[in-house]
Amino acid sequence: MSRSCYRPWEKCFGDGGAGGDELLWYMDLKPCSSGDYSIAVVQANSSLEDQAQVLTSPSATYIGVYDGHGGPEASRFINNHLFPFLHKFALEQGGLSEEVIRKAFRATEDEFLHLVKRSWLDQPQIASVGSCCLLGAIANNVLYVANLGDSRAVLGRRARNGELCSPSGVVAERLSTDHNVAVEEVRKEVEALHPDDSHIVIHTRGVWRIKGIIQVSRSIGDIYLKKPEFNRDPLFQQYGYPVPLRRAVISAEPSILIRKLRPHDMFLIFASDGLWEQLTDEAAVEIVVKNPRIGIAKRLVRAALEEAAKKKEMKYNDLKRLEKGIRRHFHDDITVIVIYLDHHHQETPISTSMDTNGTFECTSVPVDIFSFNAD
């Protein structure tokens, strides 16, 4: 009886503890203006540092994936502020545009800086909290992708004549830039911006890091790496990294792609780097192509977890019994959103602004999976 009562809620909010993994939450499938979408997230950290949301209206779909580091505060802040800023600026400027997106990112960064300044004396460590930020928007048959950090958006599309593709005839097209100094081009970009600092990027603990601290070169937050006065403050030095800075070493300026959707575009995968550490773009696209829509995001997370377990020479059934915090030694928080592109071929005379009178529906992942399942 209790199960039959719970099932209608499960359809709306997903099912925590899927398959015996109490740190996995998912939402199988919901409709949106472009077709259908599916979400899944698995928690590895003591506090879930990934946040994600999908906002739908009759004419548009907005997707956000926010991968925090140093704590959950920045990703949760973005989850509450980025979409409202997009809405505000789109209304002011008569529609969505590259400038609207840049203004929304800048406003989110500025407001988080204000939060850090207000919280500074009680929480000096908040200056070292940051988040990657991946935004997608589909409106009027146009796709916008904006990115800070190393979360990633990948398009699955049918191959054109003579184009190299998978056995299933589908191409994985990456739509975002990984702002991670593990990528040689990004490393050179950072070094070129700091010609007077021969130690701006250091290879330490097996990976390249800016000042030996952080891998991503762009983020929301990480104020101590953007405002030297925070880094120099003795109060922060008790909690953070006392690295002398003359100026900012990372930025909050997003890379933005604007692309007309085409008939051969099939679906989009938006995911935090926890997925891409385990699966290639091509492997993820093949999983989506070869499997049913229902629960597809959960299936991608499961594939990543199985790969993470294999690397540690263990089985997924053993991995999923590990508690949060301990799980972080085996894999990162993983967030996946899959958007199917069914309706993009229909040319409709709608505005690219967020609807002022339309119906909004927003789905967000739980703030903390373990607490969600325990409640």
Side-chain angles (χ1 to χ4, degrees):
M1 182 183 294
S2 64
R3 180 62 181 170
S4 64
C5 292
Y6 173 69
R7 193 167 286 121
W9 294 100
E10 181 182 283
K11 291 179 181 177
C12 292
F13 299 108
D15 176 27
D21 191 341
E22 293 188 346
L23 295 177
L24 173 64
W25 176 92
Y26 67 94
M27 190 275 303
D28 269 338
L29 204 66
K30 292 184 81 170
C32 62
S33 63
S34 67
D36 296 312
Y37 70 95
S38 177
I39 306 177
V41 58
V42 66
Q43 180 174 342
N45 288 289
S46 297
S47 295
L48 180 64
E49 296 183 343
D50 277 14
Q51 290 294 297
Q53 56 189 170
V54 177
L55 178 69
T56 64
S57 76
S59 62
T61 302
Y62 295 82
I63 308 102
V65 174
Y66 320 122
D67 179 2
H69 47 262
E73 292 86 355
S75 58
R76 293 176 184 179
F77 186 90
I78 300 168
N79 206 54
N80 292 326
H81 290 79
L82 181 61
F83 281 11
F85 279 130
L86 275 172
H87 180 59
K88 175 178 182 292
F89 297 135
L91 288 177
E92 290 175 356
Q93 299 197 13
L96 192 63
S97 66
E98 180 175 343
E99 180 55 28
V100 164
I101 293 171
R102 292 193 186 279
K103 286 184 68 174
F105 272 69
R106 283 196 293 267
T108 304
E109 168 83 349
D110 291 344
E111 283 301 308
F112 189 72
L113 173 59
H114 293 324
L115 172 65
V116 171
K117 289 179 176 178
R118 293 195 304 270
S119 309
W120 174 248
L121 292 179
D122 295 327
Q123 294 177 275
Q125 69 275 14
I126 197 171
S128 63
V129 176
S131 180
C132 302
C133 183
L134 175 62
L135 169 73
I138 304 169
N140 202 25
N141 212 30
V142 176
L143 169 67
Y144 301 80
V145 177
N147 188 52
L148 293 171
D150 55 7
S151 296
R152 189 181 301 167
V154 174
L155 170 72
R157 60 174 176 79
R158 296 182 187 88
R160 304 185 185 95
N161 291 337
E163 190 174 21
L164 290 176
C165 62
S166 68
S168 58
V170 176
V171 172
E173 181 179 328
R174 190 178 300 186
L175 302 178
S176 58
T177 300
D178 288 358
H179 301 129
N180 188 311
V181 290
V183 180
E184 185 177 5
E185 288 181 10
V186 177
R187 200 157 60 244
K188 289 180 177 178
E189 174 187 75
V190 172
E191 290 169 344
L193 291 170
H194 300 270
D196 56 340
D197 188 348
S198 60
H199 300 291
I200 183 66
V201 182
I202 301 171
H203 194 267
T204 177
R205 302 192 299 279
V207 295
W208 289 98
R209 300 176 190 270
I210 295 175
K211 304 303 288 185
I213 298 171
I214 191 169
Q215 291 181 267
V216 294
S217 62
R218 306 189 194 189
S219 70
I220 298 291
D222 294 305
I223 302 302
Y224 74 119
L225 295 174
K226 297 172 179 174
K227 304 291 183 181
E229 60 268 27
F230 284 92
N231 204 295
R232 290 193 292 263
D233 194 293
L235 181 62
F236 176 71
Q237 291 187 8
Q238 298 176 35
Y239 299 92
Y241 301 90
V243 178
L245 299 178
R246 287 187 288 254
R247 60 183 183 277
V249 293
I250 64 175
S251 79
E253 190 65 29
S255 296
I256 298 178
L257 174 142
I258 303 174
R259 182 186 187 281
K260 190 85 170 177
L261 289 174
R262 303 168 187 135
H264 53 265
D265 297 337
M266 299 170 65
F267 55 83
L268 297 159
I269 304 171
F270 290 82
S272 60
D273 75 318
L275 180 80
W276 308 113
E277 286 173 355
Q278 311 298 340
L279 300 178
T280 64
D281 299 5
E282 291 74 19
V285 164
E286 279 296 290
I287 290 171
V288 177
V289 169
K290 293 179 178 179
N291 288 282
R293 292 190 177 196
I294 294 178
I296 191 61
K298 177 183 64 175
R299 190 179 292 274
L300 281 168
V301 170
R302 173 68 181 264
L305 293 174
E306 288 176 344
E307 188 62 29
K310 188 188 302 181
K311 290 177 180 176
K312 297 293 185 178
E313 298 182 344
M314 62 191 300
K315 294 181 179 179
Y316 171 59
N317 284 338
D318 297 323
L319 178 66
K320 70 184 181 184
R321 295 190 184 99
L322 298 176
E323 297 180 359
K324 61 178 182 173
I326 297 174
R327 283 275 282 265
R328 186 60 182 89
H329 298 290
F330 296 82
H331 65 84
D332 198 355
D333 295 338
I334 302 173
T335 299
V336 177
I337 300 175
V338 179
I339 307 285
Y340 287 97
L341 303 172
D342 300 326
H343 306 151
H344 64 278
H345 61 280
Q346 300 174 0
E347 292 288 349
T348 52
I350 59 176
S351 170
T352 56
S353 64
M354 292 186 172
D355 294 349
T356 54
N357 300 314
T359 302
F360 289 102
E361 182 176 348
C362 190
T363 300
S364 296
V365 307
V367 172
D368 185 271
I369 307 300
F370 189 83
S371 301
F372 177 84
N373 290 330
D375 186 356

